[in-house]
Amino acid sequence: MAGTFTFHVVSPEGNVLKEEIEFVVLPGVDGDLGILPNHAPMIAALDTGVVHYTVNGNKKKLAISGGFVEVSENKATVLADTAEFAESIDVQRALEAKARAEKRLLQKAHDTDMKRAEYALRRAITRLNAADGKND
Ligand code: ATP
């Protein structure tokens, strides 16, 4: 095995995850960021998206909605605005949030904050993608 590194995810609600993992792909604002053990030190901004990581050969997913990652000394620390494990996502809630955001975007009412609705739609779609059983 090529080794492991510490993957730590923190959200405003506290520690989400801290474990030794083999590989992670994060949704960077400029594209996906793949991190393996002994990665060079780095700080990068993260987008709303699905985090894919491998622990003991098992692939897992987390939904995050923006934040930062810092990599140093064989540790990757993600500070996320929100973070949910695929298994803990409430699919019905995400479907309802998606429908609300889509309705706002379609209605284009003068008092609608379009950016806010777009971000809400992206969070909902990300959560649905993470909750999806497929490990793409
Ligand atoms: P909603 O309109 O359903 O609240 P939202 O995108 O506005 O969705 P956020 O502000 O991103 O929600 O998140 C608020 C809190 O609720 C965070 O702690 C987040 O992890 C959690 N959360 C939001 N949606 C879900 C979901 N579908 N399943 C599980 N946790 C969720």
Side-chain angles (χ1 to χ4, degrees), residues 43-101:
I43 292 182
L46 300 176
D47 211 344
T48 294
V50 181
V51 173
H52 295 261
Y53 64 101
T54 309
V55 53
N56 293 323
N58 296 315
K59 291 182 174 178
K60 301 199 171 184
K61 292 190 280 187
L62 273 178
I64 65 164
S65 57
F68 289 89
V69 59
E70 185 206 13
V71 183
S72 70
E73 296 177 358
N74 215 31
K75 180 173 176 181
T77 304
V78 168
L79 304 176
D81 294 336
T82 64
E84 303 97 34
F85 285 106
E87 311 78 54
S88 65
I89 287 168
D90 180 339
V91 171
Q92 189 57 37
R93 176 174 168 181
L95 285 170
E96 287 167 12
K98 178 171 176 276
R100 269 197 312 278

Side-chain angles (χ1 to χ4, degrees), residues 23-36 39 42-47 51-52 68-69 71:
F23 180 50
V24 64
V25 180
L26 297 162
V29 290
D30 296 321
D32 285 351
L33 295 168
I35 299 170
L36 285 162
H39 193 286
M42 169 183 84
I43 292 182
L46 300 176
D47 211 344
V51 173
H52 295 261
F68 289 89
V69 59
V71 183

Side-chain angles (χ1 to χ4, degrees), residues 8-17 63-68 78-84 123 127:
H8 191 186
V9 181
V10 183
S11 81
E13 295 182 4
N15 275 318
V16 176
L17 161 74
I64 65 164
S65 57
F68 289 89
V78 168
L79 304 176
D81 294 336
T82 64
E84 303 97 34
R123 288 196 300 277
R127 286 176 177 129

